[in-house]
Amino acid sequence: MIGHPIGHSKSPIIHNYWIAKYERAGLYEAIDIAPDDLHDGVQGLIKDGYAGFNATIPHKEALLTLCDTLDPIAKSCGAVNTVVIRDGYLHGYNTDAFGFLENIRAYKPDFDFTAGPAVVLGAGGAARAIIAGLINENAPIILTNRTREKAEILAREITQNAGQGGAVTIVDWKDRHNALSGVNVLVNTTSLGMVGQAALEIALDQLPQTALVTDIVYSPLETDLLKRAKERGHPIVTGIGMLLHQARPGFEKWHGVMPDVSKFLEDLVLK
Ligand code: NAP
């Protein structure tokens, strides 16, 4: 895992657990690489014989130009979080969309993303991947963000990259409460509700009882949004599964086995 800073990363816990569980040779390390050192740092990883790496803030966008090939999702969300090194070439992927979708499918394998609009709160880095994933599933998307301009840029870039226009409708942040009628999924991708951050204020009155509510914030595991949704009888999905599932494709590419996600691993990461 490369990033800057890198101390907070949970990825070494996940990957080293799987390396032991599936009896693979190897070690997963967190390496701090400053933004100006990215090119040399990555060349060093190639020279040292690494099979690949994950990337976090602030390298996800810069890796787009360093990679020799990119998967379609990395292209459409404009960020790389997983790299395979083969014969000195860098192959870039983005697995956050997979992580988000698999987390919901772990709750309901046949979840129908086309059954109604998905409301996405927030237009930051995580929202980009989630919206790319939802577009791939043909879900109509309603996007709302405190800074409307960022939502507009995201929607424009992502629909252009995905080759599909018109799939994202933008709603002003102040009108978010009224965007929930007839909605299939509500997802919070803002940092609101996270420990140490302000609360997420959103009135759920108009949300249909059947709508699934998910929050990608996982600290606390059950955010205020999820608590309120649960009280109203909505199905809820916590955010920790996205973190665990996004790690799976990288492990499969480096070690040749698709690892599973378990309650044990979830508890290990949340400890
Ligand atoms: P980011 O790029 O910094 O985006 C932050 C988002 O939160 C932006 O949409 C921002 O709106 C919004 N926001 C922040 N403060 C706000 C406020 N006071 N009122 C309204 N909106 C506010 O962050 P990110 O990388 O997308 O991550 C967002 C959250 O998701 C973090 O808590 C992160 O830990 C979590 N996350 C979880 C996973 C997972 O696997 N479960 C993966 C990635 C991220 P503006 O555009 O107006 O600033």
Side-chain angles (χ1 to χ4, degrees), residues 56-57 60-61 96 99-100 103 121-130 143-151 154 173 176 188-195 197-201 215-219 238-246:
T56 186
I57 295 168
K60 288 183 174 188
E61 290 79 23
D96 284 333
F100 172 75
N103 190 30
L121 307 171
R128 250 172 209 270
I130 287 168
L143 173 61
T144 178
N145 191 49
R146 176 180 58 175
T147 314
R148 185 183 167 106
E149 195 192 356
K150 272 178 67 181
L154 187 159
W173 183 243
R176 62 194 179 282
N188 175 43
T189 79
T190 73
S191 44
L192 294 172
M194 193 175 158
V195 174
Q197 300 283 326
L200 167 62
E201 287 171 18
D215 199 326
I216 70 163
V217 168
Y218 57 84
S219 179
T238 66
I240 188 66
M242 176 176 168
L243 178 77
L244 303 178
H245 284 283
Q246 65 76 30

Side-chain angles (χ1 to χ4, degrees), residues 136-210:
N136 237 15
E137 296 299 320
N138 297 314
I141 293 157
I142 298 170
L143 173 61
T144 178
N145 191 49
R146 176 180 58 175
T147 314
R148 185 183 167 106
E149 195 192 356
K150 272 178 67 181
E152 283 168 353
I153 293 169
L154 187 159
R156 194 166 53 239
E157 288 180 358
I158 221 161
T159 48
Q160 269 168 10
N161 293 345
Q164 290 169 327
V168 182
T169 306
I170 314 261
V171 166
D172 276 346
W173 183 243
K174 66 173 169 41
D175 298 329
R176 62 194 179 282
H177 319 280
N178 301 323
L180 303 184
S181 69
V183 158
N184 186 30
V185 188
L186 171 63
V187 46
N188 175 43
T189 79
T190 73
S191 44
L192 294 172
M194 193 175 158
V195 174
Q197 300 283 326
L200 167 62
E201 287 171 18
I202 185 160
L204 300 178
D205 322 28
Q206 295 186 22
L207 195 64
Q209 280 279 298
T210 51

